[in-house]
């Protein structure tokens, strides 16, 4: 099988390693089957899509909808490189799965309105699949309603005109969508379990997702949730597109 490619942009090593291990574990992959590039460290090298089974974009501390003057030079570079890569991915309808940051990247690339209207605090939320979601191969074997972990400052207010809505929550109307046949974005984290969320709460307590003094309370709350269904998306992505 050709490897999958994980494009990451978490500068904190602990968060970056936890994310990579989660994609390996829940995707049923070994390190030879998941190449990781940490985009925040250096410019994206030349990539041949034919070398990979699919592309995964992990979560990110970057907020796509922030004003340009508030973004660092590194964020501008990462956004530009992802946009240029998405030009090729969309043209080829190449297998793509963007988790959380995927809504901002793929969504903006395809004409979505991304803003802070539907942000959600770090924690467990109930996700509801749409009729189209219930029929989608990437959501095969999943119930109509399940718990997932999320935490995001921005969200999709208006879907891209060519997108198919696959999942929502009560507080966020767009939690997953598909572009064409093979390109997906989720607002929730399909790779994240309770202990992974606790790690991120600790690391990002001063990143503006929540009041820093509430971190311990959020960690305790995270441990009261169990999220097992979202990981099936990663297994399905590998099963459908591994080649």
């Amino acid at each position: 099988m050709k490897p999958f490619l994980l494009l990451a942009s978490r500068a904190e090593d602990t968060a970056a390693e936890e994310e990579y291990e989660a994609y390996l574990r829940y995707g049923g992959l070994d390190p030879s089957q998941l190449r990781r590039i940490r985009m925040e460290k250096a410019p994206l090298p030349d990539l041949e899509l034919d070398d990979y089974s699919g592309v995964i974009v992990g979560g990110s501390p970057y907020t796509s909808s922030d004003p340009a003057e508030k973004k660092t030079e590194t964020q501008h570079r990462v956004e530009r490189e992802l946009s240029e890569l998405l030009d090729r991915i969309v043209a080829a309808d190449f297998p793509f799965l963007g988790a959380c940051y995927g809504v901002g990247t793929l969504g903006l690339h395809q004409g979505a309105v991304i803003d802070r209207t539907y942000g959600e605090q770090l924690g467990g939320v109930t996700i509801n699949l749409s009729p189209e979601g219930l029929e989608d191969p990437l959501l095969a074997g999943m119930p109509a309603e399940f718990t997932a972990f999320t935490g995001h400052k921005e969200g999709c207010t208006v879907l891209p005109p060519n997108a198919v809505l696959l999942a929502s929550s009560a507080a966020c109307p767009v939690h997953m969508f598909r572009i064409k046949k093979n390109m997906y974005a989720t607002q929730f984290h399909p790779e994240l379990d309770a202990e992974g969320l606790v790690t991120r709460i600790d690391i990002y307590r001063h990143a503006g997702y929540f009041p820093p003094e509430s971190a311990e309370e959020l960690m305790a709350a995270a441990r009261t949730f169990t999220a097992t269904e979202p990981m099936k998306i990663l297994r399905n992505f590998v099963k459908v597109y591994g080649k």
Side-chain angles (χ1 to χ4, degrees):
M1 183 180 76
K2 295 181 181 179
F4 288 84
L5 174 64
L6 173 62
L7 299 177
S9 56
R10 298 186 184 278
E12 303 82 5
D13 288 340
T14 300
E17 291 308 312
E18 182 275 331
E19 179 182 68
Y20 181 56
E21 291 297 326
Y23 276 107
L24 290 173
R25 180 168 62 255
Y26 292 121
L29 299 167
D30 63 50
S32 69
Q33 296 170 318
L34 183 64
R35 179 191 179 194
R36 177 181 57 169
I37 296 176
R38 292 183 62 176
M39 297 184 70
E40 85 286 354
K41 286 186 172 294
L44 194 65
D46 290 336
L47 297 172
E48 291 294 335
L49 294 179
D50 285 344
D51 292 340
Y52 300 97
S53 290
V55 174
I56 300 169
V57 169
S60 176
Y62 298 148
T63 303
S64 301
S65 60
D66 275 349
E69 63 272 15
K70 291 189 176 182
K71 297 178 181 180
T72 65
E73 287 302 314
T74 299
Q75 182 174 350
H76 280 295
R77 175 182 58 76
V78 169
E79 290 180 349
R80 182 176 62 255
E81 291 172 347
L82 281 175
S83 180
E84 291 171 354
L85 182 61
L86 281 168
D87 289 342
R88 297 162 54 200
I89 287 173
V90 172
D93 194 11
F94 189 78
F96 175 89
L97 176 61
C100 195
Y101 192 43
V103 168
T105 53
L106 181 61
L108 281 176
H109 187 274
Q110 291 297 290
V113 175
I114 306 294
D115 59 28
R116 295 195 177 218
T117 303
Y118 296 113
E120 291 175 297
Q121 197 173 58
L122 284 154
V125 300
T126 299
I127 303 296
N128 298 103
L129 297 185
S130 69
E132 292 80 6
L134 289 168
E135 298 296 325
D136 194 275
L138 216 63
L139 295 161
M142 297 182 64
E145 182 179 292
F146 59 89
T147 297
F149 288 119
T150 189
H152 52 104
K153 299 175 186 177
E154 64 184 3
C156 181
T157 301
V158 179
L159 272 172
N162 58 336
V164 177
L165 179 66
L166 301 177
S168 305
S169 74
C172 182
V174 179
H175 254 288
M176 185 173 182
F177 62 82
R178 186 185 72 242
I179 300 291
K180 295 186 176 179
K181 183 180 179 181
N182 301 312
M183 296 170 291
Y184 296 83
T186 70
Q187 189 67 79
F188 61 87
H189 286 273
E191 86 290 358
L192 201 55
D193 56 23
E195 288 307 311
L197 180 61
V198 167
T199 298
R200 292 188 193 176
I201 291 171
D202 188 36
I203 291 170
Y204 293 115
R205 67 173 67 209
H206 297 291
Y209 291 99
F210 53 85
E213 62 273 14
S214 69
E216 300 303 326
E217 180 182 349
L218 288 171
M219 290 182 197
R223 291 190 172 104
T224 68
F225 288 94
T226 300
T228 57
E229 295 299 320
M231 293 75 172
K232 292 178 181 177
I233 294 172
L234 302 182
R235 287 282 188 162
N236 287 339
F237 190 69
V238 170
K239 179 180 179 181
V240 172
Y241 296 114
K243 57 187 179 182

